[in-house]
Structure formats: C-alpha cells, structure tokens
Amino acid sequence: MKIFREIANKDYVRIHGPEHHVLNGTGPLSTDGSWGRHMEFSSAALAKMAEINGPRCCKRDGFVALTEAVRFINANYDVTLEMSEIKCRFSPRNAQCIKERCPYFVG
C-alpha cells in the first residue's frame, strides 16, 4: 500500500489513473499498445457491470473490477493470481441490493 500511495502522489498518475502506471508505466501517450490493452480491461469490467445491471452497488462494482483485473493480469503478465470465491456480506445494508441477480449474493 505504501508503494501505491507514493506512486499515486505523482501528478501524471493522478491525472490518468494509477492502475495503469502501477502495472507497467503506461499512459495515454504510450505507443507500445499497453494503453489500449488497459482500455480493453476497463471496457471488460464496465461490460460485466452492464451485464449484471441494477441500481448502485459500490461493492458489486468493486468485486467486478477486481475479478476482471485478475483475469487481465493473468492473461497479460507472466504471473498467475488466484482468487477465492467472492461472497458479498453487505446486501443487508443496501436497500437496492439486486439479491439473486448479483453473482456475489450469499442469500
């Protein structure tokens, strides 16, 4: 977390999104294709959120983003991240929870 905070304090990171810079230093001016791959990741996460659909849920959106991030990293870097099954425990606190329609709903 300390490393992330140090990187996030740089102006170019605050402007363009720290996740891209943390992974490989890419940015919107990169010409090696890395920026486009990162935009594909962002677009995949947004597509999954749209597929699930439903009213606001920061936890669900965060879970989707983390899941897609692991898939992206495993597909594009020489590393294999493992993920345990995500089970949401926040639904009782969210009046707009979509319950069984949510892939993380416990019940």
Side-chain angles (χ1 to χ4, degrees), residues 35-51:
W35 184 251
R37 285 190 299 278
H38 285 280
M39 293 300 97
E40 288 173 4
F41 149 68
S42 298
S43 135
L46 290 171
K48 184 65 177 174
M49 290 175 201
E51 177 187 320

Side-chain angles (χ1 to χ4, degrees), residues 63 67 82-89 103-106:
F63 295 154
T67 301
E82 295 180 9
M83 265 187 70
S84 54
E85 182 180 2
I86 299 173
K87 296 180 180 181
C88 181
R89 305 283 181 197
Y104 311 106
F105 181 69
V106 175

Side-chain angles (χ1 to χ4, degrees), residues 3-11 13-14 18:
I3 294 170
F4 178 77
R5 284 190 189 120
E6 289 173 13
I7 293 170
N9 282 330
K10 297 182 181 185
D11 286 336
V13 173
R14 276 187 263 132

Side-chain angles (χ1 to χ4, degrees), residues 40-103:
E40 288 173 4
F41 149 68
S42 298
S43 135
L46 290 171
K48 184 65 177 174
M49 290 175 201
E51 177 187 320
I52 295 170
N53 201 5
R56 67 166 179 84
C57 181
C58 299
K59 304 299 186 230
R60 180 183 65 233
D61 292 348
F63 295 154
V64 167
L66 287 172
T67 301
E68 292 302 319
V70 168
R71 287 185 186 140
F72 175 80
I73 290 169
N74 288 347
N76 291 280
Y77 296 92
D78 190 24
V79 64
T80 300
L81 300 178
E82 295 180 9
M83 265 187 70
S84 54
E85 182 180 2
I86 299 173
K87 296 180 180 181
C88 181
R89 305 283 181 197
F90 298 95
S91 56
R93 298 180 188 168
N94 183 355
Q96 289 83 34
C97 178
I98 60 174
K99 311 254 186 261
E100 289 82 9
R101 287 183 31 230
C102 177

